[in-house]
Amino acid sequence: YRARLEGYESEVQFFDGIEDALEICLDRGFRLGLVTTKLSGAARRHLQSVGALDKFKCIVAGDMVTKLKPDPEPFLLAMETMQTDSASCFTVGDSPGDIIGAHAAGIQTIAAEWGCLDTARLRACSPHHFITRLTDISSLSATGFQEMRPVSTLDDASKGDGITAINRADSASVKRCSFSVRAGISNA
């Protein structure tokens, strides 16, 4: 596993548009956290290789917890590390484990279709919102979800660039967001 990880590390790159999406989030005052099943060293190297390590205030990796996603433990640790609670953060993810784990931790969820391997399984996890295009990130308002469309109103045929990321925040609190590694970074 580690040899395979090291073998493709030189090929790690952002999915199209993710760098801009991260900047939009940061410009809107979101603090970014990362919850991943990857080992800490690999996660940090991957983020460093795409120039994004300094954008994340918290990284919770698989070797930092006793239970992996879909267990809520990694999400709870991320909230503890970022000194926040489930009411003032959200998770964007592209796998059922992301959505199930965040739900179990009481966190609002946004599913990212563009990085998803099985969209039907992702939708079956009942994410609070679903993003199919990168441009959907621009629909987030400074006070939360008012401009986001719930999953039930999204057109299943709608496809696009997609984005991992955003959930709930209000203007009175520091905004936080967690991304999954696979949702934001691809191995070309």
Side-chain angles (χ1 to χ4, degrees):
Y1 172 77
R2 288 183 182 162
R4 187 173 65 85
L5 266 182
E6 291 173 7
Y8 72 72
E9 283 184 353
S10 64
E11 300 172 11
V12 170
Q13 61 185 352
F14 276 124
F15 282 119
D16 289 340
I18 292 300
E19 191 168 13
D20 291 337
L22 291 175
E23 290 304 321
I24 289 169
C25 292
L26 293 169
D27 289 347
R28 290 185 178 204
F30 286 92
R31 291 187 340 158
L32 306 179
L34 177 87
V35 172
T36 179
T37 57
K38 284 185 170 40
L39 299 174
S40 301
R44 289 182 182 284
R45 285 190 307 273
H46 291 176
L47 290 172
Q48 184 66 44
S49 72
V50 295
L53 183 59
D54 63 333
K55 296 180 187 323
F56 290 87
K57 303 301 180 198
C58 167
I59 298 172
V60 174
D63 55 349
M64 299 169 67
V65 293
T66 58
K67 296 177 183 172
L68 302 174
K69 299 183 282 184
D71 193 90
E73 181 185 351
F75 297 95
L76 295 171
L77 178 57
M79 286 189 293
E80 179 183 329
T81 302
M82 294 182 79
Q83 299 178 343
T84 189
D85 58 33
S86 62
S88 61
C89 68
F90 60 90
T91 293
V92 175
D94 64 357
S95 75
D98 296 329
I99 304 305
I100 293 167
H103 273 303
I107 300 171
Q108 292 282 317
T109 58
I110 294 177
E113 183 178 81
W114 56 268
C116 180
L117 300 176
D118 186 342
T119 303
R121 283 188 59 215
L122 188 63
R123 286 183 182 271
C125 296
S126 301
H128 294 95
H129 298 280
F130 205 91
I131 295 177
T132 58
R133 295 176 309 276
L134 178 58
T135 54
D136 290 345
I137 195 171
S138 298
S139 69
L140 293 170
S141 73
T143 59
F145 290 130
Q146 288 84 350
E147 299 173 28
M148 294 288 292
R149 296 169 292 164
V151 171
S152 60
T153 65
L154 286 173
D155 177 3
D156 285 355
S158 173
K159 304 288 183 205
D161 295 317
I163 174 74
T164 57
I166 314 303
N167 196 325
R168 182 178 174 163
D170 61 54
S171 57
S173 67
V174 177
K175 300 170 192 108
R176 292 127 179 130
C177 169
S178 91
F179 286 77
S180 78
V181 168
R182 201 179 83 239
I185 299 176
S186 69
N187 303 317

Coordinates of all heavy atoms in Angstrom, one line a residue, residues 23-83:
E23 N -9.9 28.9 -2.9 CA -9.7 30.3 -2.7 C -11.0 31.0 -2.4 O -11.1 31.9 -1.6 CB -9.0 30.9 -3.9 CG -7.5 30.5 -4.1 CD -6.7 30.8 -2.8 OE1 -6.9 31.8 -2.2 OE2 -5.8 29.9 -2.5
I24 N -12.1 30.6 -3.1 CA -13.4 31.2 -2.9 C -13.8 30.9 -1.4 O -14.2 31.9 -0.7 CB -14.4 30.6 -3.8 CG1 -14.2 31.1 -5.2 CG2 -15.8 30.9 -3.4 CD1 -15.0 30.4 -6.3
C25 N -13.6 29.7 -0.9 CA -13.9 29.4 0.5 C -13.1 30.3 1.4 O -13.6 30.8 2.4 CB -13.7 27.9 0.7 SG -14.8 26.8 -0.1
L26 N -11.8 30.3 1.2 CA -10.9 31.1 2.1 C -11.3 32.6 2.0 O -11.4 33.3 3.0 CB -9.5 30.9 1.7 CG -8.9 29.5 2.0 CD1 -7.6 29.3 1.3 CD2 -8.9 29.2 3.5
D27 N -11.6 33.1 0.8 CA -12.0 34.5 0.7 C -13.3 34.8 1.4 O -13.5 35.9 1.9 CB -12.2 34.9 -0.8 CG -10.9 35.0 -1.6 OD1 -9.8 35.0 -0.9 OD2 -10.9 35.0 -2.8
R28 N -14.2 33.8 1.5 CA -15.5 34.0 2.3 C -15.3 33.7 3.8 O -16.3 33.7 4.5 CB -16.5 33.0 1.7 CG -16.9 33.5 0.3 CD -18.0 32.6 -0.2 NE -18.4 33.1 -1.5 CZ -19.6 32.9 -2.1 NH1 -20.5 32.2 -1.4 NH2 -19.9 33.4 -3.3
G29 N -14.1 33.5 4.2 CA -13.8 33.4 5.6 C -13.9 32.0 6.2 O -13.9 31.8 7.4
F30 N -14.1 31.0 5.3 CA -14.1 29.6 5.8 C -12.7 29.1 6.3 O -11.7 29.5 5.6 CB -14.6 28.6 4.7 CG -16.0 28.7 4.4 CD1 -16.5 29.6 3.4 CD2 -17.0 28.0 5.1 CE1 -17.8 29.7 3.1 CE2 -18.3 28.1 4.8 CZ -18.7 28.9 3.8
R31 N -12.7 28.4 7.4 CA -11.4 27.8 7.8 C -11.6 26.3 7.3 O -12.6 25.7 7.5 CB -11.3 27.8 9.3 CG -11.0 29.2 9.8 CD -10.7 29.2 11.3 NE -11.1 28.1 12.0 CZ -10.6 27.7 13.1 NH1 -9.7 28.4 13.7 NH2 -11.1 26.6 13.8
L32 N -10.6 25.8 6.6 CA -10.7 24.5 6.0 C -10.0 23.4 6.9 O -8.9 23.6 7.4 CB -10.0 24.5 4.6 CG -10.5 25.6 3.7 CD1 -9.7 25.5 2.4 CD2 -12.0 25.5 3.4
G33 N -10.7 22.3 7.0 CA -10.2 21.1 7.6 C -10.3 20.0 6.7 O -11.1 20.0 5.7
L34 N -9.5 19.0 6.9 CA -9.4 17.8 6.0 C -9.6 16.5 6.9 O -8.9 16.4 7.9 CB -8.1 17.7 5.3 CG -7.9 16.5 4.4 CD1 -8.5 16.8 3.0 CD2 -6.4 16.2 4.3
V35 N -10.5 15.7 6.4 CA -10.7 14.4 7.1 C -10.5 13.4 6.0 O -11.1 13.4 4.9 CB -12.1 14.2 7.7 CG1 -12.4 12.8 8.1 CG2 -12.4 15.2 8.8
T36 N -9.5 12.5 6.2 CA -9.1 11.5 5.2 C -8.8 10.2 5.8 O -8.3 10.1 7.0 CB -8.0 12.0 4.3 OG1 -7.6 11.0 3.3 CG2 -6.7 12.3 5.2
T37 N -8.9 9.1 5.1 CA -8.5 7.8 5.5 C -7.0 7.6 5.2 O -6.4 6.6 5.6 CB -9.3 6.7 4.9 OG1 -9.3 6.8 3.5 CG2 -10.7 6.7 5.4
K38 N -6.4 8.4 4.4 CA -5.0 8.3 4.0 C -4.2 8.5 5.3 O -4.6 9.0 6.3 CB -4.6 9.4 3.1 CG -5.0 9.2 1.6 CD -4.4 10.2 0.7 CE -4.6 10.0 -0.7 NZ -5.8 9.5 -1.2
L39 N -2.9 8.0 5.3 CA -2.0 8.2 6.4 C -1.6 9.7 6.4 O -1.6 10.3 5.4 CB -0.8 7.3 6.2 CG -1.0 5.8 6.2 CD1 0.2 5.0 5.9 CD2 -1.6 5.3 7.5
S40 N -1.3 10.2 7.6 CA -0.9 11.6 7.8 C 0.2 12.0 6.8 O 0.0 13.1 6.2 CB -0.4 11.8 9.2 OG -1.4 11.5 10.2
G41 N 1.3 11.3 6.7 CA 2.4 11.7 5.9 C 2.0 11.8 4.4 O 2.3 12.8 3.8
A42 N 1.2 10.8 3.9 CA 0.7 10.9 2.5 C -0.2 12.1 2.3 O -0.1 12.8 1.3 CB 0.1 9.6 2.2
A43 N -1.1 12.3 3.2 CA -2.1 13.4 3.1 C -1.3 14.7 3.0 O -1.6 15.6 2.2 CB -3.1 13.4 4.2
R44 N -0.4 14.9 3.9 CA 0.4 16.2 4.0 C 1.3 16.3 2.7 O 1.4 17.4 2.1 CB 1.3 16.2 5.2 CG 0.5 16.4 6.5 CD 1.4 16.5 7.7 NE 0.5 16.7 8.9 CZ -0.1 17.8 9.2 NH1 0.1 18.9 8.5 NH2 -0.8 17.9 10.3
R45 N 1.9 15.2 2.3 CA 2.7 15.3 1.0 C 1.8 15.6 -0.2 O 2.2 16.4 -1.0 CB 3.4 14.0 0.8 CG 4.6 13.8 1.7 CD 5.5 12.6 1.3 NE 4.8 11.3 1.1 CZ 4.5 10.5 2.1 NH1 4.9 10.7 3.3 NH2 3.8 9.4 1.9
H46 N 0.6 15.0 -0.3 CA -0.2 15.3 -1.4 C -0.7 16.8 -1.4 O -0.6 17.4 -2.4 CB -1.5 14.4 -1.3 CG -1.1 13.0 -1.6 ND1 -2.1 12.0 -1.6 CD2 0.0 12.4 -2.0 CE1 -1.5 10.8 -1.9 NE2 -0.3 11.0 -2.1
L47 N -1.0 17.3 -0.2 CA -1.4 18.7 -0.1 C -0.3 19.6 -0.5 O -0.4 20.6 -1.1 CB -2.0 19.0 1.2 CG -3.4 18.4 1.5 CD1 -3.8 18.6 3.0 CD2 -4.4 19.0 0.6
Q48 N 0.9 19.2 0.0 CA 2.1 20.0 -0.2 C 2.4 20.0 -1.7 O 2.8 21.1 -2.3 CB 3.3 19.5 0.6 CG 4.6 20.3 0.4 CD 4.5 21.7 1.0 OE1 3.9 21.8 2.1 NE2 4.9 22.7 0.3
S49 N 2.3 18.9 -2.4 CA 2.6 18.8 -3.8 C 1.8 19.7 -4.7 O 2.2 20.1 -5.8 CB 2.6 17.3 -4.3 OG 1.3 16.9 -4.4
V50 N 0.5 20.0 -4.2 CA -0.3 20.8 -5.0 C -0.4 22.3 -4.4 O -1.2 23.1 -4.9 CB -1.8 20.3 -5.1 CG1 -1.8 19.0 -5.9 CG2 -2.4 20.1 -3.8
G51 N 0.5 22.5 -3.5 CA 0.6 23.9 -2.9 C -0.6 24.3 -2.0 O -0.9 25.4 -1.9
A52 N -1.2 23.3 -1.4 CA -2.4 23.6 -0.6 C -2.3 23.3 0.9 O -3.2 23.5 1.7 CB -3.6 22.8 -1.1
L53 N -1.1 22.8 1.3 CA -1.0 22.4 2.7 C -1.3 23.5 3.7 O -2.0 23.3 4.7 CB 0.4 21.8 3.0 CG 0.7 21.3 4.4 CD1 -0.2 20.2 4.8 CD2 2.2 20.9 4.5
D54 N -0.9 24.7 3.4 CA -1.1 25.8 4.3 C -2.5 26.3 4.3 O -2.9 27.1 5.1 CB -0.1 27.0 3.9 CG -0.4 27.5 2.5 OD1 -0.9 26.8 1.6 OD2 -0.1 28.7 2.3
K55 N -3.4 25.9 3.4 CA -4.8 26.3 3.3 C -5.6 25.6 4.4 O -6.7 26.0 4.7 CB -5.3 26.1 1.9 CG -4.7 26.9 0.9 CD -5.3 26.6 -0.5 CE -4.5 27.3 -1.7 NZ -4.0 28.5 -1.5
F56 N -5.1 24.4 4.8 CA -5.9 23.6 5.8 C -5.4 23.8 7.2 O -4.2 23.6 7.5 CB -5.8 22.1 5.4 CG -6.6 21.9 4.1 CD1 -6.0 22.0 2.9 CD2 -7.9 21.5 4.2 CE1 -6.6 21.8 1.7 CE2 -8.6 21.2 3.0 CZ -8.0 21.4 1.8
K57 N -6.3 24.2 8.1 CA -6.0 24.5 9.5 C -6.0 23.2 10.3 O -5.5 23.2 11.4 CB -7.0 25.5 10.1 CG -7.1 26.8 9.4 CD -5.7 27.5 9.3 CE -5.8 28.8 8.6 NZ -4.5 29.3 8.2
C58 N -6.6 22.1 9.8 CA -6.7 20.9 10.5 C -6.6 19.7 9.5 O -7.3 19.8 8.4 CB -8.0 20.9 11.2 SG -8.5 19.3 11.9
I59 N -5.8 18.7 9.8 CA -5.8 17.5 9.0 C -6.0 16.3 10.0 O -5.2 16.2 10.9 CB -4.5 17.3 8.2 CG1 -4.3 18.5 7.2 CG2 -4.5 16.0 7.5 CD1 -3.0 18.5 6.6
V60 N -7.1 15.6 9.8 CA -7.3 14.4 10.5 C -7.2 13.2 9.6 O -8.0 13.0 8.6 CB -8.7 14.3 11.2 CG1 -9.0 13.0 11.9 CG2 -8.8 15.5 12.2
A61 N -6.1 12.4 9.8 CA -5.8 11.3 8.9 C -6.1 10.0 9.5 O -6.3 9.9 10.7 CB -4.3 11.4 8.5
G62 N -6.1 8.9 8.7 CA -6.5 7.6 9.2 C -5.6 7.1 10.3 O -6.1 6.3 11.1
D63 N -4.4 7.5 10.4 CA -3.5 7.0 11.4 C -3.6 7.8 12.7 O -2.9 7.6 13.7 CB -2.1 6.9 10.9 CG -1.5 8.2 10.4 OD1 -2.3 9.1 10.2 OD2 -0.3 8.2 10.1
M64 N -4.6 8.7 12.8 CA -4.7 9.6 13.9 C -6.0 9.2 14.7 O -6.2 9.8 15.8 CB -4.9 11.0 13.5 CG -3.7 11.6 12.8 SD -4.0 13.2 12.0 CE -4.2 14.2 13.4
V65 N -6.7 8.2 14.2 CA -8.0 7.8 14.9 C -8.0 6.3 15.0 O -7.3 5.6 14.3 CB -9.2 8.3 14.1 CG1 -9.3 9.8 14.2 CG2 -9.2 7.8 12.7
T66 N -8.8 5.8 15.9 CA -9.0 4.3 16.1 C -10.0 3.8 15.1 O -10.0 2.6 14.8 CB -9.3 4.0 17.5 OG1 -10.5 4.6 17.9 CG2 -8.2 4.4 18.5
K67 N -11.0 4.6 14.7 CA -12.0 4.2 13.8 C -12.1 5.1 12.6 O -12.1 6.4 12.8 CB -13.4 4.2 14.5 CG -13.5 3.2 15.7 CD -14.8 3.3 16.4 CE -14.8 2.4 17.5 NZ -16.0 2.6 18.4
L68 N -12.1 4.6 11.4 CA -12.2 5.4 10.2 C -13.6 5.7 9.8 O -14.5 5.1 10.3 CB -11.5 4.6 9.1 CG -10.0 4.2 9.3 CD1 -9.5 3.3 8.2 CD2 -9.1 5.4 9.4
K69 N -13.7 6.6 8.8 CA -15.0 6.9 8.2 C -15.6 5.5 7.7 O -14.8 4.7 7.2 CB -14.9 7.8 7.0 CG -14.3 9.2 7.3 CD -14.3 10.1 6.1 CE -13.1 9.8 5.2 NZ -13.0 10.7 4.1
P70 N -16.8 5.3 7.9 CA -17.9 6.2 8.2 C -18.2 6.4 9.7 O -19.2 7.0 10.0 CB -19.1 5.5 7.5 CG -18.8 4.0 7.6 CD -17.3 3.9 7.5
D71 N -17.3 5.9 10.6 CA -17.5 6.3 12.0 C -17.3 7.8 12.2 O -16.6 8.4 11.4 CB -16.4 5.5 12.8 CG -16.7 5.6 14.3 OD1 -17.4 4.6 14.7 OD2 -16.3 6.5 14.9
P72 N -18.0 8.3 13.1 CA -17.9 9.8 13.3 C -16.6 10.2 14.0 O -16.3 11.4 14.0 CB -19.1 10.1 14.2 CG -19.4 8.8 14.9 CD -19.1 7.7 14.0
E73 N -15.8 9.3 14.5 CA -14.6 9.7 15.2 C -13.7 10.7 14.5 O -13.3 11.7 15.1 CB -13.8 8.5 15.6 CG -12.6 8.9 16.4 CD -11.7 7.7 16.8 OE1 -12.0 6.5 16.5 OE2 -10.6 7.9 17.3
P74 N -13.4 10.5 13.2 CA -12.5 11.5 12.6 C -13.1 12.9 12.5 O -12.5 13.9 12.6 CB -12.2 10.9 11.2 CG -12.8 9.6 11.2 CD -13.7 9.4 12.4
F75 N -14.4 13.0 12.3 CA -15.1 14.2 12.2 C -15.2 14.9 13.6 O -15.0 16.1 13.7 CB -16.5 14.1 11.6 CG -16.5 13.5 10.2 CD1 -16.6 12.2 10.0 CD2 -16.4 14.4 9.2 CE1 -16.6 11.7 8.7 CE2 -16.3 13.9 7.9 CZ -16.5 12.6 7.6
L76 N -15.4 14.1 14.6 CA -15.4 14.7 16.0 C -14.0 15.2 16.3 O -13.9 16.3 17.0 CB -15.9 13.6 17.0 CG -17.3 13.1 16.8 CD1 -17.6 11.9 17.7 CD2 -18.3 14.2 17.1
L77 N -13.0 14.5 16.0 CA -11.6 15.0 16.2 C -11.4 16.3 15.5 O -10.7 17.2 16.0 CB -10.6 13.9 15.9 CG -9.1 14.3 16.1 CD1 -8.9 14.7 17.5 CD2 -8.2 13.2 15.7
A78 N -11.8 16.4 14.2 CA -11.6 17.6 13.4 C -12.3 18.8 14.1 O -11.7 19.8 14.2 CB -12.1 17.4 12.0
M79 N -13.5 18.5 14.6 CA -14.3 19.6 15.3 C -13.5 20.0 16.5 O -13.4 21.2 16.8 CB -15.7 19.2 15.6 CG -16.6 19.2 14.3 SD -18.3 19.0 14.7 CE -18.4 17.3 15.4
E80 N -13.1 19.1 17.3 CA -12.3 19.4 18.5 C -11.1 20.2 18.2 O -10.8 21.2 18.9 CB -12.0 18.1 19.2 CG -11.2 18.3 20.5 CD -10.8 16.9 21.2 OE1 -11.6 16.0 21.0 OE2 -9.7 16.9 21.8
T81 N -10.3 19.7 17.2 CA -9.1 20.4 16.8 C -9.3 21.8 16.4 O -8.6 22.7 16.7 CB -8.4 19.6 15.7 OG1 -8.1 18.3 16.2 CG2 -7.1 20.2 15.3
M82 N -10.4 22.0 15.6 CA -10.7 23.4 15.1 C -11.6 24.2 16.1 O -12.0 25.3 15.8 CB -11.5 23.2 13.8 CG -10.6 22.7 12.7 SD -11.3 22.6 11.1 CE -11.2 24.3 10.5
Q83 N -11.8 23.6 17.3 CA -12.5 24.3 18.4 C -13.9 24.8 17.9 O -14.2 26.0 18.0 CB -11.7 25.4 19.0 CG -10.4 24.9 19.6 CD -9.6 26.0 20.2 OE1 -9.7 27.1 19.9 NE2 -8.6 25.6 21.0

